[in-house]
Amino acid sequence: MPRVTRLHLAAAAAALLALTACSNSQEAAAPVATPHIGIAFELPDAKAYPEGIAVDSRSGDVYVGSFTNGAIYRAAKGGTKAEVFLASGTDGRQTANGLRVDNAGRLWVIDHTTGVAVYDTGTRALIARFDAPQADKPFLNDLAMTPDGDVYLTDSVRPVVYRVTPQQLSDAIAHGGRAGLDVFATVNSTKDAAAQSAPLLNGIVADTAGRYLLVVDMPTGDLYRISLDAQRAVINVTERGGNMINGDGLELRGDTMWVVQNKDNTVSRWKVTDDGATVEQQQRITDAALAIPTTIAHVGDRALVVISQFDRGGPMGEGTPAAFTVAAIDGI
């Protein structure tokens, strides 16, 4: 593992989540009846501690990554058990965060210590790799894709969003399969110019028209809108009816956005209006069974939520985890 030990990985994850330990994100609207939470499928590794999830829209297959060993698991459409798709240590990777499958069937996998790797889901071959600047010891976290094929990635150490364009991917493939990540935008709070700390960026989504990104600051719950035009303007989004403190993974479908709030064992649903400048909470569920959820992806109307169990013998605490699973939530 390049320059980072397993202990450092655990400490980094614990530090990220511990920043929100004293937060109280229960200031939401009145609770609604809890939707049904079940098991979508099981993961094969007794120490998986999963973090990211991605759905292949062409096949319906679901990919899940392990934060603690870097393995990638794949569950076939409708299957109840996942298999190992890429083993721990593949291409030197010992951790996996954000995942996405693009329209060409390529799986993008973030290693938060180094960068993002791109795989062919048919052959499992590594196609390309984009390296993050190492000077500031990056913590790459999540990624989003726009309709034109651009990929955007958050960094939880530097308040920046990186971008990989289709042309950059083609160039990397043509020249040895490796390139560096370029910063697309810097995100600073527009609400509080005197803020003592930079945003700790986590989940990121792009609207279906490719006009803007929405990015959550995990400790504060602030949501930022980044325009994808030449100005790359950053604004604080107005949040109504609740908050996004401890916000981790995001999902956006049309004008509906889901927010996974990890330490609160919560999934909330929001309506996006005003061209991404305003969001309003419509539903919120909290359940201990979610056991530090990290992200969400829908297959049809079924929400799949990653259950990390980071606090059960993982990077956030001690104890013994239950079998690792991905939850299915109906009614959110």
Side-chain angles (χ1 to χ4, degrees):
M1 184 187 310
R3 303 173 59 180
V4 181
T5 67
R6 185 70 59 98
L7 179 61
H8 290 150
L9 288 178
L16 283 176
L17 291 170
L19 286 173
T20 61
C22 297
S23 299
N24 179 7
S25 60
Q26 305 304 318
E27 304 167 5
V32 297
T34 302
H36 175 71
I37 301 175
I39 295 175
F41 55 84
E42 300 175 358
L43 300 177
D45 192 334
K47 294 185 178 180
Y49 294 103
E51 208 280 344
I53 190 169
V55 178
D56 187 338
S57 61
R58 306 168 311 156
S59 65
D61 291 348
V62 181
Y63 297 85
V64 178
S66 168
F67 180 80
T68 53
N69 66 34
I72 305 298
Y73 313 106
R74 179 172 64 183
K77 181 180 180 180
T80 59
K81 292 186 177 181
E83 64 176 6
V84 175
F85 178 74
L86 295 171
S88 173
T90 299
D91 301 306
R93 184 181 56 256
Q94 297 294 331
T95 183
N97 280 24
L99 306 178
R100 287 292 184 276
V101 179
D102 65 23
N103 291 332
R106 296 173 296 223
L107 175 65
W108 296 66
V109 180
I110 286 179
D111 176 336
H112 76 256
T113 63
T114 59
V116 61
V118 188
Y119 290 90
D120 184 314
T121 55
T123 65
R124 310 189 190 197
L126 177 65
I127 299 172
R129 181 182 298 174
F130 294 88
D131 299 317
Q134 292 297 304
D136 296 315
K137 297 181 179 180
F139 196 110
L140 298 189
N141 211 321
D142 207 351
L143 69 163
M145 297 177 176
T146 54
D148 60 4
D150 286 348
V151 177
Y152 296 87
L153 305 93
T154 56
D155 191 327
S156 294
V157 174
R158 301 174 64 205
V160 299
V161 172
Y162 302 98
R163 179 176 67 175
V164 179
T165 67
Q167 185 61 55
Q168 288 173 317
L169 177 59
S170 296
D171 290 346
I173 294 172
H175 297 89
R178 197 153 193 169
L181 284 172
D182 295 330
V183 171
F184 172 77
T186 299
V187 180
N188 292 309
S189 176
T190 56
K191 286 195 309 185
D192 181 6
Q196 296 301 303
S197 59
L200 192 161
L201 304 179
N202 199 327
I204 182 171
V205 289
D207 81 305
T208 54
R211 295 168 299 173
Y212 59 82
L213 304 169
L214 296 175
V215 188
V216 69
D217 178 359
M218 190 169 73
T220 66
D222 287 341
L223 187 69
Y224 297 95
R225 180 194 187 278
I226 306 172
S227 69
L228 295 179
D229 56 18
Q231 283 69 43
R232 306 181 185 185
V234 179
I235 65 168
N236 276 82
V237 176
T238 299
E239 300 174 22
R240 295 175 177 165
N243 66 62
M244 298 182 188
I245 291 173
N246 296 329
D248 199 328
L250 308 179
E251 184 182 18
L252 180 62
R253 301 176 79 185
D255 63 356
T256 301
M257 183 172 69
W258 291 266
V259 181
V260 174
Q261 294 170 261
N262 50 43
K263 289 182 67 68
D264 297 324
N265 294 330
T266 292
V267 177
S268 53
R269 178 169 53 85
W270 301 71
K271 184 175 181 180
V272 180
T273 60
D274 195 20
D275 198 29
T278 303
V279 294
E280 182 172 4
Q281 183 173 271
Q282 296 183 313
Q283 189 179 7
R284 179 188 187 91
I285 64 168
T286 300
D287 196 302
L290 295 176
I292 314 295
T294 53
T295 195
I296 183 171
H298 275 76
V299 176
D301 292 331
R302 194 183 200 199
L304 304 181
V305 177
V306 175
I307 308 301
S308 76
Q309 298 190 76
F310 280 172
D311 61 339
R312 300 176 184 176
M316 285 175 58
E318 300 179 353
T320 303
F324 286 99
T325 63
V326 169
I329 305 180
D330 298 315
I332 181 66

